[in-house]
Amino acid sequence: QVQLVESGGGLVQAGGSLRLSCVDSGRTFSIYVMGWFRQAPGKERELVATIDWRGSSTYYADSVKGRFTISRDNAKNTVYLQMNSLKPEDTAVYYCAASRYFSAAPDDFGSWGQGTQVTVSS
């Protein structure tokens, strides 16, 4: 059972940085692919980044490549999203999610956190 809790969101000026964390209180974190998604008002939920079980493979949406970095620490049951050079269009609720598959499709992720708000001011 995966139980995910995100933290680290907040208000930041354009060009600034934030680091999101997502902790799994379950016991099977290391067997899941982890992903970060975001949803802005009036828009569909979109993939930001994913990372495989061991942290050896990652995937990023084109919109965040070179600015965001996903990482995980299986000993701490935690996945991170380091966000640099933030832009107003990065404003959204950010969710972490777990999947048995290395996928970019939200439907392949069966467990979700409650989300954390990121707001980037211009």
Side-chain angles (χ1 to χ4, degrees), residues 27-44:
R27 299 184 178 182
T28 57
F29 178 78
S30 62
I31 73 171
Y32 287 96
V33 171
M34 297 302 297
W36 285 98
F37 292 79
R38 66 187 182 186
Q39 188 166 19
K43 295 188 177 181
E44 293 189 355

Side-chain angles (χ1 to χ4, degrees), residues 51-106:
I51 188 166
D52 75 350
W53 305 266
R54 294 180 296 176
S56 57
S57 294
T58 57
Y59 172 86
Y60 295 93
D62 288 343
S63 58
V64 306
K65 280 181 182 177
R67 300 188 298 122
F68 290 11
T69 303
I70 189 171
S71 62
R72 67 190 295 162
D73 185 339
N74 286 345
K76 296 182 179 180
N77 282 11
T78 303
V79 61
Y80 304 97
L81 185 68
Q82 178 66 45
M83 306 186 294
N84 299 328
S85 303
L86 282 161
K87 305 175 181 180
E89 52 263 43
D90 294 317
T91 295
V93 177
Y94 283 70
Y95 300 88
C96 70
S99 174
R100 293 297 190 104
Y101 315 103
F102 194 70
S103 169

